[in-house]
């Protein structure tokens, strides 16, 4: 039996690369039936907390209930869902889609648990998304006291959240609480996990692609669920030149040169649930919207879009010459002559610079006297529409940098609608 359990434990470690230490810790805490120590499992989203815990419980054969503290927003819903799962009761038409038993009080919940212990033995209650339980002190106190109230150490409690409760010791009245921390994955661990998702027939290309994808994505996203989603889409774009017969699959250098664009686009699509589009399709969709289709922007957002495009093309040192004029229309010819230096490719820019350019254009242009919606709200709208992208890291709040992803066709259409002469600012 010990050999079988050791083999099962080893299989779990193989199935969850990078989580060997956490599996060993959970196994030790949950294997011993007489050890009813409340446990708090925490770590970043997408780190495998719930999956590893569920796999360990199944491997141990422990009867358990997994409860979502967000969907079960009341004590009664928590209690009834726990008893329904523990007794493996399935709501159906024959029983009126009801739970195992109504449970509207703590004594009724304890009685239901005692019955389950007498019938099934060891029980484990898992409270996922448990961050909010820290504000439900009566429920939390009851859960931490179950091993005493049930008269048995056969009921184990496991809390799962992204972080420990603030002042956790005070909340638990300094009761013993075991903790299991799931740290973020390293690059090597992410590559090992993503390697199992290789499409059939493309294993070699997938192995070559993964290190580049992880390297591009690691600094902005380490959520495994999100990376898996992005990786599948980016790999399809990566292999498109091969499928189109433009590049040989064995020419890694050509693939790398052609694939940098799709890797950069994958970074911009983090947490966006929209199918990847080619540049031509994006431009066509944006232009259709500007002509009265699906992209209906308020006036303030249109001025911000023009400002973002100019900020991405004009050198910062030329801002004073280009945008300082208070007269309606274009900059003066002398200023404009000095400020012809523009970038060949779009560059990122700071939020402060974007707002300054927008303010200058509005004072000098059509929108000068109109009340404008809050600029930051409109910037957020442009980010959601993927016309702007964030170029700085999420934790860099004091120097937010953006990039403009709007195609020239959309910017031209917006400038014509606002009666704004865009060419005079960009003429070389």
């Amino acid at each position: 039996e010990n050999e079988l359990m050791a083999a099962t434990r080893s299989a779990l470690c193989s199935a969850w690369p990078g989580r060997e230490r956490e599996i060993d810790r959970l196994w030790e805490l949950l294997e011993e039936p007489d050890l009813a120590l409340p446990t708090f499992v925490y770590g970043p989203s997408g780190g495998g907390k719930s999956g590893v815990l569920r796999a360990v419980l199944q491997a141990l054969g422990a009867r358990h209930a997994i409860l979502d503290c967000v969907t079960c927003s009341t004590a009664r819903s928590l209690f009834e869902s726990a008893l329904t799962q523990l007794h493996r009761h399935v709501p159906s038409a024959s029983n009126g889609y009801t739970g195992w038993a109504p449970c509207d009080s703590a004594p009724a919940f304890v009685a239901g648990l005692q019955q389950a212990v007498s019938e099934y033995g060891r029980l484990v209650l898992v409270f996922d998304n448990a961050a909010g339980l820290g504000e439900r002190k009566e429920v939390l106190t009851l859960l931490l006291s179950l091993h005493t109230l049930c008269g048995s150490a056969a009921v184990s409690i496991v809390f799962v959240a992204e972080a420990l409760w603030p002042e956790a010791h005070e909340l638990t009245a300094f009761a013993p609480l075991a903790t299991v921390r799931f740290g973020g994955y390293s690059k090597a661990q992410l590559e090992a996990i993503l390697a199992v998702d290789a499409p059939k027939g493309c294993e070699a290309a997938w192995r070559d692609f993964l290190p580049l994808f992880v390297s591009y994505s690691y600094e902005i996203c380490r959520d495994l669920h999100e990376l898996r989603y992005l990786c599948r889409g980016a790999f399809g774009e990566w292999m498109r030149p091969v499928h189109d017969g433009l590049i040989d699959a064995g020419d890694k250098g050509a693939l790398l040169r052609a694939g940098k664009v799709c890797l950069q686009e994958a970074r911009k699509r983090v947490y966006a649930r929209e199918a990847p589009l080619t540049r031509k399709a994006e431009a066509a969709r944006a232009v259709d919207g500007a002509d009265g289709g699906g992209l209906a922007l308020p006036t303030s957002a249109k001025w911000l879009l023009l400002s973002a495009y100019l900020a991405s093309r004009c050198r910062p040192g030329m801002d004073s010459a280009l945008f300082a004029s208070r007269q309606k229309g274009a900059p003066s010819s002398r200023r404009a002559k000095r400020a012809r230096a523009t970038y060949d490719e779009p560059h990122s820019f700071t939020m402060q610079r974007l707002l300054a350019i927008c303010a200058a254009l509005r004072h000098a242009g059509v929108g000068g006297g109109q009340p404008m919606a809050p600029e930051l709200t409109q910037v957020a709208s442009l980010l959601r529409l993927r016309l702007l992208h964030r170029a700085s890291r999420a934790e860099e709040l004091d120097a937010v940098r953006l990039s403009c992803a709007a195609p020239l066709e959309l910017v031209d259409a917006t400038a014509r609608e606002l009666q704004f002469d865009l060419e005079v600012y960009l003429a070389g």
Side-chain angles (χ1 to χ4, degrees), residues 20-360:
E20 295 82 3
R21 182 183 62 83
E22 292 82 357
I23 290 172
D24 289 341
R25 176 67 170 155
L26 287 172
W27 193 283
E28 293 170 358
L29 290 170
L30 299 174
E31 181 184 24
E32 180 56 49
D34 296 329
L35 182 62
L37 187 63
T39 302
F40 201 113
V41 179
Y42 68 101
S45 174
K49 301 184 298 294
S50 300
V52 169
L53 178 58
R54 186 180 291 108
V56 169
L57 290 172
Q58 291 173 349
L60 290 171
R63 184 171 286 252
H64 60 277
I66 299 179
L67 312 160
D68 189 327
C69 297
V70 174
T71 57
C72 297
S73 57
T74 65
R76 176 169 181 168
S77 60
L78 274 177
F79 298 160
E80 291 184 352
S81 180
L83 294 177
T84 296
Q85 291 186 50
L86 291 173
H87 289 276
R88 296 183 180 171
H89 173 83
V90 180
S92 61
S94 61
N95 54 42
Y97 296 100
T98 58
W100 176 74
C103 185
D104 55 2
S105 65
F109 179 53
V110 172
L113 286 178
Q114 289 174 335
Q115 182 178 341
V117 169
S118 64
E119 294 180 12
Y120 313 119
R122 174 77 181 284
L123 304 176
V124 181
L125 297 178
V126 178
F127 295 88
D128 204 356
N129 296 315
L133 280 181
E135 302 174 0
R136 300 159 68 178
K137 294 185 178 180
E138 293 183 0
V139 175
L140 183 58
T141 301
L142 171 65
L143 297 178
L144 293 172
S145 305
L146 283 178
H147 66 284
T148 302
L149 295 173
C150 292
S152 168
V155 179
S156 296
I157 304 296
V158 181
F159 304 103
V160 182
E162 292 189 14
L164 283 166
W165 299 307
E167 302 176 353
H169 291 299
E170 182 179 343
L171 281 173
T172 60
F174 293 91
L177 183 67
T179 59
V180 181
R181 179 180 177 273
F182 279 63
Y185 288 113
S186 67
K187 290 184 179 181
Q189 290 169 345
L190 284 174
E191 288 179 26
I193 296 169
L194 293 173
V196 303
D197 296 335
K200 291 185 178 180
C202 299
E203 289 81 359
W206 184 263
R207 285 194 302 269
D208 294 335
F209 169 75
L210 278 183
L212 294 168
F213 172 79
V214 172
S215 179
Y216 267 78
S217 308
Y218 188 74
E219 293 299 328
I220 60 171
C221 178
R222 302 180 192 181
D223 185 322
L224 183 58
H225 305 308
E226 184 65 17
L227 288 177
R228 274 183 160 151
Y229 173 83
L230 289 175
C231 194
R232 286 192 293 268
F235 183 70
E237 294 294 319
W238 173 274
M239 294 297 292
R240 180 173 295 180
V242 176
H243 298 321
D244 292 345
L246 302 176
I247 296 176
D248 184 80
D251 192 344
K252 297 180 181 180
L255 263 178
L256 176 59
R257 290 190 294 272
K260 281 186 176 180
V261 173
C262 81
L263 291 171
Q264 292 168 354
E265 292 297 320
R267 292 182 61 173
K268 298 174 183 178
R269 291 199 299 268
V270 173
Y271 298 114
R273 288 298 176 264
E274 187 174 349
L277 298 172
T278 62
R279 292 179 178 270
K280 184 176 181 180
E282 285 182 338
R285 184 183 65 173
V287 172
D288 289 343
D291 291 336
L295 189 61
L297 294 176
T299 302
S300 54
K302 292 175 182 177
W303 281 108
L304 276 168
L305 183 62
L306 290 179
S307 304
Y309 189 82
L310 290 172
S312 70
R313 291 288 180 172
C314 299
R315 298 180 184 275
M318 299 296 125
D319 285 357
S320 177
L322 282 172
F323 307 115
S325 175
R326 294 289 181 181
Q327 297 179 359
K328 187 174 181 178
S332 67
S333 58
R334 179 176 297 179
R335 283 196 181 112
K337 189 174 181 179
R338 291 201 313 266
R340 293 306 184 197
T342 57
Y343 292 121
D344 293 331
E345 295 293 333
H347 281 57
S348 64
F349 46 87
T350 64
M351 175 79 77
Q352 184 179 7
R353 184 176 176 230
L354 170 65
L355 297 179
I357 292 175
C358 184

Side-chain angles (χ1 to χ4, degrees), residues 3-21:
E3 292 181 359
L4 177 61
M5 296 300 282
T8 303
R9 195 168 176 174
S10 177
L12 276 178
C13 293
S14 300
W16 294 90
R19 289 296 178 233
E20 295 82 3
R21 182 183 62 83

